[in-house]
Amino acid sequence: MRGAGRTARPFGLLALGLPLVALTLVPLGFVLVTSADLGPAELWRLIDRPRTTALLSNTIRLTVSAMLACAVLGTATAWVVERTDLPGRRFFTIMLVAPLAVPAFVNSYGWVSLTTRVEGFGGALLIVTLSYFPLVHLPVAATLRGLDPALEDTAHALGHGRARTFARVVLPQLRLALLGGTLLVGLHLLAEFGALQLLRFPTFTTAIYDQYQSTFNGPDASALPTVLVLGCLVLLLADLRLRGARRYARVGTGAMRPAAPARLGRATAPVLATMTALVALAIGVPIGSLVHWLVVGSSTAFPVAALTSTALTSIGLGLAAAALTSVATLPVAWLCERHRGPLSTTLERSTYFGSALPGIVVALALVTVTIRYAQPLYQTTAMLLAAYVILFAPRALISQRAALAQAPRVFDDVAGSLGAGRLARLRRVTLPLIAPGAGAGAALVFLAVVTELTATLLLAPIGTTTLSTEFWNNSSSVAYGAAAPYAALMIIISAPATMLLTRQSRRSAA
Amino acid sequence: MTTLHIDGVAKAFGATGVLHDVDLHVAGGALTAVLGPSGCGKTTLLRLIAGFLPADAGTIALDGEVVSAPGRHVPAQRRRVGYVAQEGALFPHLDVAGNITFGLPRRARRAHARVNELLALVGLDGAVVRRYPHELSGGQQQRVALARALAPEPSMVLLDEPFASLDAGLRQDTGRAVAAALREVGATAVLVTHDQAEALSLAGEVAVMREGRIVQVDAPERVYGRPMDPDVAAFVGESVVLPAAFDGAVATCALGTLAVVDGAPPRGAASVLVRPEQIAIGTGDGVAAEVTEVSYFGHDAAVRLRLLDGGTPVVARVIGAGAPAPGDRVALAVRGSVMAYADGSAGR
């Protein structure tokens, strides 16, 4: 019965949380309304064409292959760094998440500016896998770290060898982390624009962009996003089901014995060589290529004034979006943690819909909605910030929820019994407790905004250039040298936030 | 010194009644333990007294001032009630001094008023002042939590299973230190616990709670020695309940003819309660029995026996050094008088 009290409905919080929910549902609403306007017959006519079929085949082939490749690579690398005696594991631990600091389109630029042989399916698969496998590696490594080795000991005692123990004891427990990470890779791939455009590998997302550039708002502009959104929804629903099944256990009492690492023995050299090669491909190539263009590129120029103003624009947009998103998500996070129930769960889940949709769909939705219903807002910074809130709200929300979970209501009660009123409790207890977590969430939003390309390309007001759009304009016109300084700045600005992300996911092990 | 009067208090969560018509009066300066199994509603009662929850019915008065009644709910921050939560609930972002002075006015917080005095009161060394909660042991955390609750000189202190998360040895020491600190400042206190040893050893009065009702309020030795019914008896200690025939002030049961407490069995009495330590194991005269199992604890031992006549199982507590072995034939005798109960008085 404990804590079942205080059933009063928090109308104030609901009112504060609703704007965010309404905003994040705009893109989905846009797709639903436009496809309903077309009608199923017309929609099918637009989809059932050779070009669409080719795009569908490309998208599915790439998404499924990359999901599989990332699942295998992410699990293998997680096991190697967490559970073996490989020399240099600390180095690899950092290097295997470092690709997250390099946006996929920069990675793609690094490769394609060295050799055009990576154009096409094979190259695309290689590059997106190298960019996205950390999304599987991170949660699987965290789970492996949180796994009680006593379970494996028990399996060994019951006569299972290492391989059978892994398959029958470890793998089932990695299931949630593995599937969750893999689904996240899928969502990223459906949304991926820059990397694939540079590799001239057409998918739904790149086709939508091209169409938008040539004929805005043709009927095709509705049909393609509908199919893309359907794909995203399939992945998203699978992910939500997983989340529902997940149990967030509090940290138990007593220290868990660390697992005894597996001895690689004669396999040490080949494993070490493979891991080194992986890091060289995933980090060495893009960074090396970037340095190469910075140093020797004939089109490299350092227009200091332009670089500075672009960087300041990116930082300004990132800070504004981080602050705005944090303020918008806090009421929802509070509802979820302090007033649990089907209503607050629904509100929270609905904010995921916006972020699971590709940036291109979110941008199209906002462009269409503003042109039709709010013309003055078209091409304003406000719309760009709204897109960032839609795309990145869950990053802030998840961190805030975790922080609030660490500040249970009993602290409120104790402070009340010591004479602190409602506001004093918020100021002296709750806010100081959640500040680090909420700050981490804001940093994650900042990181995402600084490296965002697709929505920024479509929504940035005329005259507003960011690091990513400036990089894009140069690299897509093959001015690789001119693009390099912008990419370097992007990585330098976003690297600290990436490290934060790594540390956070490591702490939330299992 | 503050008194607490609870009259006819009820509380339900949705359709589930948690407290029914609870009465409890606590004298000023007394430490009263509310003892009950988990889920009996004792924590809810504590939260009502603290003001974290509003009551559905009844009144709660602190020192004669009604703080909770139909239509009246004084919020926690204006009740001046100290609260010590399970596991302490020290604010993790504040050090020991910051925690202890939390409830004091701003100027006193700056001056670290009373910190050392309070630390000494709860038996802690001044060296912990700058430590953060995660750098303290469980027992230290509980002592700091008590110091924090006592700092604003509350009218009374509520303790919610404060020792449940400590291990056995620490539990006793911390419990004694907390009880001593409360006595020293003369605070009125209510301690909620499911641990009968803790309640009996620390409190001046024990209120036994069952299914949302208070079934008995008495001094510890009366709760143990004169329990209301066999259920209370079994909850506060081991018990042997035997059917008996009554004749005036004596009862005849499988363990022989025994004197009834106060010489007056209740109407319709049909069973007697014997505490295991009342059963003496000898070799001479007495009820013949065979030892079936011995659990040896060091200081004492629990001896399980089967009476030779009829096979009734009983359990006796003897000092560890004199424990018999399984299979021994022994003679049993009951020391002192026994409680008598009418049929159906258990588990109302």
Side-chain angles (χ1 to χ4, degrees), chain A residues 470-485:
Chain A
E470 213 41 33
F471 167 81
W472 183 252
N473 290 336
N474 283 310
S475 62
S476 54
S477 53
V478 206
Y480 293 133

Side-chain angles (χ1 to χ4, degrees), chain A residues 190-236:
Chain A
L190 288 181
E192 185 56 58
F193 160 70
L196 302 175
Q197 185 84 333
L198 281 177
L199 296 172
R200 298 177 208 291
F201 185 76
T203 63
F204 268 96
T205 304
T206 63
I208 293 171
Y209 180 79
D210 291 341
Q211 219 154 39
Y212 171 78
Q213 294 293 52
S214 51
T215 58
F216 169 68
N217 220 11
D220 265 14
S222 314
L224 290 181
T226 305
V227 179
L228 187 57
V229 165
L230 277 178
C232 291
L233 286 184
V234 168
L235 292 179
L236 182 64

Side-chain angles (χ1 to χ4, degrees), chain A residues 129-351:
Chain A
T129 304
L130 290 174
S131 275
Y132 289 129
F133 81 89
L135 294 176
V136 177
H137 171 91
L138 267 178
V140 171
T143 310
L144 274 176
R145 211 173 300 123
L147 221 55
D148 192 346
L151 294 171
E152 284 156 77
D153 291 347
T154 312
H156 291 315
L158 291 169
H160 282 39
R162 235 173 230 292
R164 271 177 77 199
T165 302
F166 186 82
R168 292 193 56 196
V169 177
V170 179
L171 208 51
Q173 301 189 73
L174 295 181
R175 205 183 109 244
L176 283 177
L178 182 57
L179 287 177
T182 308
L183 288 170
L184 200 58
V185 171
L187 283 173
H188 272 81
L189 282 171
L190 288 181
E192 185 56 58
F193 160 70
L196 302 175
Q197 185 84 333
L198 281 177
L199 296 172
R200 298 177 208 291
F201 185 76
T203 63
F204 268 96
T205 304
T206 63
I208 293 171
Y209 180 79
D210 291 341
Q211 219 154 39
Y212 171 78
Q213 294 293 52
S214 51
T215 58
F216 169 68
N217 220 11
D220 265 14
S222 314
L224 290 181
T226 305
V227 179
L228 187 57
V229 165
L230 277 178
C232 291
L233 286 184
V234 168
L235 292 179
L236 182 64
L237 290 178
D239 187 53
L240 283 182
R241 283 194 60 157
L242 272 182
R243 269 174 217 280
R246 193 169 312 176
R247 295 277 170 271
Y248 292 97
R250 293 291 297 267
V251 183
T253 52
M256 206 171 59
R257 200 170 44 75
R263 275 199 296 278
L264 288 173
R266 270 184 300 173
T268 305
V271 170
L272 194 59
T274 312
M275 295 287 283
T276 311
L278 177 63
V279 169
L281 290 178
I283 277 292
V285 170
I287 298 294
S289 168
L290 202 53
V291 170
H292 166 78
W293 286 111
L294 281 173
V295 175
V296 305
S298 57
S299 60
T300 303
F302 285 95
V304 177
L307 277 173
T308 316
S309 76
T310 316
L312 287 178
T313 307
S314 279
I315 292 174
L317 282 173
L319 290 177
L324 203 60
T325 310
S326 301
V327 171
T329 51
L330 191 57
V332 179
W334 196 288
L335 270 173
C336 288
E337 281 303 315
R338 295 289 175 94
H339 302 272
R340 285 186 195 188
L343 183 62
S344 31
T345 309
T346 312
L347 284 182
E348 191 216 8
R349 295 276 164 91
S350 66
T351 64

Side-chain angles (χ1 to χ4, degrees), chain B residues 122-144:
Chain B
V122 296
L124 278 180
D125 192 83
V128 300
V129 164
R130 287 279 152 230
R131 295 219 189 125
Y132 279 83
H134 67 269
E135 299 168 308
L136 302 177
S137 72
Q140 286 174 326
Q141 290 184 24
Q142 286 304 351
R143 292 175 196 225
V144 173

